[in-house]
Amino acid sequence: MILEGPARKVVLIWPYNDISALGIRVLGSCLKRAGFAARLLFLPVEAGDRSLQPEVLQQVEELCSGSLFVGISVMSSCLQRVALLSKHLKRSLDVPIVWGGVHPTLMPEQCVLFADYLCIGEGEEAIVELAEAIARQGSVMDIRNIWPVVEKSVRRGPLRPLIQNIDLVPFPDYELADDYVLYEGQMIRMTRDHLEFFLQEGPVKPIAGSGYYTTMTSRGCDLNCSFCSNGSLRSLYPGQRWLRYRSPGNVIEELSRVRNLMPFAGSVFFCEDTFFQRATGQIEEFCRLYKREVSMPFFCLGTPYGLTREKLELLVDAGLYLVQIAIEAGNSQSATGYSSGATDQRVLSSARLLGEFCSRMFPPHYEVIVDSPFDSAEDVVQRIRLLARIKRPYRLQFSPLTLLPGTELAARARREGLLNQEDAKRLCYQRPCQRKSYLNCLLLLLNTYVPRFLIRFLASRPFRFLFNRRYFERSAESLHSLIKAVLGARRQASERTLARL
Ligand code: B12
Ligand code: SF4
């Protein structure tokens, strides 16, 4: 039974756009299971305005007032926003502020001015112990995974072992019992209609077309891409199994709620890079149950690892209609050393395999990192040549490299003098804009019908000598926007096709 009343209420805040917010929804369920009330506040960035207006801060303050504590989920990308919010709450309320998530876990010292407690690593058990301790006014100094901030320094303590049986983690909280969302400058009570609206606006909207339910069937990853936080997170747990899978039965139990919870959801999104790495037997069981109990179209992320014809056959038969493959997680040619040793051959063979399923699925999406300060022009040309070997149709998605704090790549950038203090502040936390260089334009052309041999030709030395220069970058601004507009129109057409399916 949930005991209502401020003495038992914890407020959890999610300051990002995608309100599927697995982190705080799982924590909300843990708190409720332990008899606490959880109020979830969602603060999507409105119209590109990452700051929070004074009226919004005031409303959030009112919603947090009188709670046991306010917990905020912190990724580095939102550090400034969360810092502003926390400063405001600390000034105006007498309620402890708790930061959890990837940023405090990897960069605890950077959080001391804003939080009273940091949750390092997994929060399921720690948050309940913290709530119990605060509710009975007991000591909060010795809770594993909770590091108090005392006089602006972190008091480090021991970490709990990783949850090995992740089937024990409760399903995300979608009760909407006491949830609020920022909409047009107001914190409004979240209804099913709002949920539908915001889930439709999620980050993979162009792929999904309609509202979708996001979940994960695993935790951790056994690859080691140097731009990703995964390696640093794993290093906190030496000797422990880091990549953990939920059992197919447990995933299906969660998904069988979707039709009731979200009648509007048109598909399910598995948002983990490790989806295809499960053993074939597990995938077989998952697909058998999925077809029987869930039977909704689904799409997922992946890497060039683990894809086999047999797995794809089973998954497509069960409703898989699109995959997004992170190519950089398999590119050994790059000087950036993104990957843990995959070869171009692996990328090409995965792409060939996906090509075989083209008549039964949407063209695959390939995620490509651009604008790495470690890449020479020759590295980029190698990537263009590699991509030009993949048979169309496909869609490339480009992400400018973000040097996330605590990653191997950020450390290397600092060592090699590629980042001074100012750059570190700017680049490590905010996703930069994609450069409009000649070579990036060639990459964009791969998304069009321009023949691939022509793109390879345009990437040859004489053209690079003429065009891969600053003057081109400046004038390419308008060309770039034009190509994007054409692609946008194409995407809308494919959304309409999807909506008809
Ligand atoms: C799934 C995922 C996504 C999904 C969905 C995110 C979502 N809305 O839930 C998608 C694909 C949309 C996504 C997008 C992005 N992601 Co992402 N994502 C992940 C991934 C693979 C899993 C996160 C997850 O849901 N885990 C399951 C939940 C249960 O775990 P959790 O959130 O970590 O929460 C647990 C603990 O951290 C803790 N905790 C968390 N918050 C709090 C708060 C309190 C108060 C307490 C006590 C505890 C606590 O308790 C939770 C339960 O154990 C992680 C990788 C990873 N290993 O974490 C990257 C990761 C979090 N993403 C990352 C990034 C950078 C992004 C993007 C900014 C990428 C980009 N450049 O656009 C975007 C922005 C997202 C946004 N603004 O909404 C980085 C963050 C790095 C950093 N230093 O902050 C990670 C670590 C991957 C990486 N590249 O290194 N992401
Ligand atoms: S495959 Fe994905 S989750 Fe795994 S290390 Fe690489 S980027 Fe990170």
Side-chain angles (χ1 to χ4, degrees):
M1 187 187 58
I2 296 170
L3 302 173
E4 292 289 350
R8 305 285 295 176
K9 184 181 75 192
V10 174
V11 178
L12 296 173
I13 301 183
W14 180 257
Y16 314 100
N17 284 354
D18 179 6
I19 66 153
S20 50
L22 287 170
I24 64 158
R25 287 190 190 276
V26 161
L27 297 176
S29 298
C30 292
L31 287 163
K32 288 181 177 176
R33 194 160 71 175
F36 292 92
R39 171 174 283 172
L40 309 186
L41 307 186
F42 300 89
L43 302 176
V45 176
E46 292 203 294
D49 179 10
R50 297 173 74 83
S51 65
L52 288 162
Q53 299 305 316
E55 316 82 72
V56 176
L57 290 173
Q58 177 63 35
Q59 291 170 38
V60 173
E61 176 194 324
E62 281 160 22
L63 289 166
C64 295
S65 159
S67 56
L68 281 179
F69 62 86
V70 176
I72 311 181
S73 199
V74 189
M75 276 196 235
S76 311
S77 59
C78 253
L79 190 61
Q80 280 172 353
R81 198 161 194 253
V82 177
L84 174 84
L85 172 66
S86 302
K87 270 189 173 168
H88 176 87
L89 295 178
K90 259 167 102 70
R91 253 197 323 262
S92 50
L93 293 176
D94 187 20
V95 168
I97 306 293
V98 185
W99 277 18
V102 183
H103 191 78
T105 298
L106 295 180
M107 297 279 131
E109 318 297 344
Q110 289 187 3
C111 310
V112 294
L113 294 180
F114 317 106
D116 302 298
Y117 302 99
L118 306 178
C119 178
I120 309 299
E122 292 176 329
E124 284 84 351
E125 291 159 349
I127 200 168
V128 172
E129 266 190 48
L130 180 67
E132 281 166 351
I134 295 179
R136 62 164 193 274
Q137 296 178 342
S139 167
V140 281
M141 287 302 174
D142 297 312
I143 301 173
R144 286 178 301 164
N145 289 21
I146 299 289
W147 292 1
V149 175
V150 183
E151 289 171 6
K152 295 191 185 154
S153 72
V154 184
R155 189 180 287 183
R156 288 166 182 260
L159 296 183
R160 289 164 200 274
L162 290 168
I163 304 173
Q164 285 300 336
N165 180 2
I166 55 170
D167 279 4
L168 298 177
V169 172
F171 302 145
D173 174 7
Y174 276 102
E175 280 179 357
L176 307 185
D178 190 21
D179 300 358
Y180 291 78
V181 62
L182 175 61
Y183 179 65
E184 293 186 347
Q186 300 289 322
M187 292 302 296
I188 53 169
R189 184 74 191 265
M190 173 108 82
T191 62
R192 293 266 153 223
D193 287 344
H194 297 125
L195 188 67
E196 174 173 3
F197 172 80
F198 280 100
L199 288 181
Q200 250 166 13
E201 292 304 305
V204 279
K205 178 183 171 193
I207 305 177
S210 63
Y212 54 92
Y213 181 87
T214 303
T215 193
M216 289 179 77
T217 72
S218 63
R219 267 192 193 178
C221 170
D222 57 8
L223 302 188
N224 203 17
C225 305
S226 59
F227 58 85
C228 174
S229 311
N230 179 61
S232 317
L233 291 170
R234 179 172 48 193
S235 69
L236 299 174
Y237 302 98
Q240 296 183 45
R241 189 161 54 95
W242 172 239
L243 171 58
R244 294 144 290 157
Y245 286 108
R246 294 166 62 191
S247 68
N250 179 259
V251 178
I252 299 302
E253 196 185 327
E254 177 190 349
L255 295 179
S256 52
R257 315 176 310 158
V258 174
R259 284 199 194 278
N260 274 341
L261 283 177
M262 297 180 194
F264 54 83
S267 50
V268 174
F269 173 35
F270 297 104
C271 65
E272 64 222 65
D273 282 348
T274 47
F275 192 74
F276 295 113
Q277 280 164 254
R278 277 176 185 270
T280 309
Q282 289 251 325
I283 295 216
E284 202 170 356
E285 189 186 349
F286 168 81
C287 291
R288 187 174 50 78
L289 294 171
Y290 190 90
K291 273 169 43 178
R292 201 179 66 201
E293 311 283 339
V294 187
S295 173
M296 285 170 82
F298 64 96
F299 58 106
C300 66
L301 305 180
T303 69
Y305 284 85
L307 263 180
T308 65
R309 187 171 290 108
E310 198 180 354
K311 288 181 195 171
L312 265 178
E313 187 59 61
L314 289 161
L315 290 163
V316 171
D317 179 55
L320 175 66
Y321 69 93
L322 186 127
V323 291
Q324 179 173 312
I325 300 283
I327 285 211
E328 64 277 359
N331 183 354
S332 60
Q333 297 302 310
S334 162
T336 312
Y338 292 142
S339 82
S340 51
T343 61
D344 288 357
Q345 281 320 315
R346 192 186 282 273
V347 173
L348 292 173
S349 62
S350 306
R352 254 195 312 274
L353 198 54
L354 286 166
E356 288 176 27
F357 287 81
C358 251
S359 60
R360 296 160 66 191
M361 286 167 77
F362 272 59
H365 288 198
Y366 297 114
E367 175 92 24
V368 181
I369 290 185
V370 293
D371 297 345
S372 163
F374 303 99
D375 280 353
S376 64
E378 199 48 50
D379 291 322
V380 183
V381 170
Q382 289 296 328
R383 197 161 306 131
I384 293 171
R385 291 201 180 119
L386 172 70
L387 294 169
R389 287 172 69 190
I390 298 177
K391 237 173 118 185
R392 287 173 178 147
Y394 58 72
R395 190 181 149 66
L396 299 176
Q397 300 203 148
F398 303 104
S399 298
L401 178 70
T402 312
L403 288 165
L404 293 166
T407 57
E408 194 187 317
L409 213 54
R412 185 177 150 194
R414 211 160 280 133
R415 269 197 318 274
E416 295 180 9
L418 290 169
L419 272 182
N420 59 31
Q421 283 299 328
E422 267 317 296
D423 283 345
K425 272 197 208 132
R426 199 166 42 84
L427 289 179
C428 287
Y429 303 103
Q430 283 164 26
R431 194 177 181 164
C433 288
Q434 194 174 325
R435 281 179 53 197
K436 279 128 186 100
S437 64
Y438 177 66
L439 293 178
N440 278 356
C441 285
L442 293 187
L443 279 166
L444 268 183
L445 283 182
L446 285 163
N447 258 341
T448 66
Y449 294 107
V450 174
R452 290 177 293 161
F453 77 85
L454 185 58
I455 299 173
R456 279 197 297 265
F457 181 59
L458 291 172
S460 60
R461 233 173 251 281
F463 286 98
R464 270 152 53 200
F465 178 77
L466 282 176
F467 299 121
N468 196 28
R469 294 170 181 275
R470 279 278 162 202
Y471 80 85
F472 179 92
E473 200 158 324
R474 283 193 290 269
S475 51
E477 193 90 35
S478 38
L479 178 67
H480 207 91
S481 319
L482 186 73
I483 295 175
K484 280 204 150 169
V486 172
L487 292 178
R490 251 185 69 194
R491 190 175 323 137
Q492 276 173 11
S494 77
E495 275 177 42
R496 281 197 293 276
T497 317
L498 179 62
R500 279 202 299 276
L501 282 178

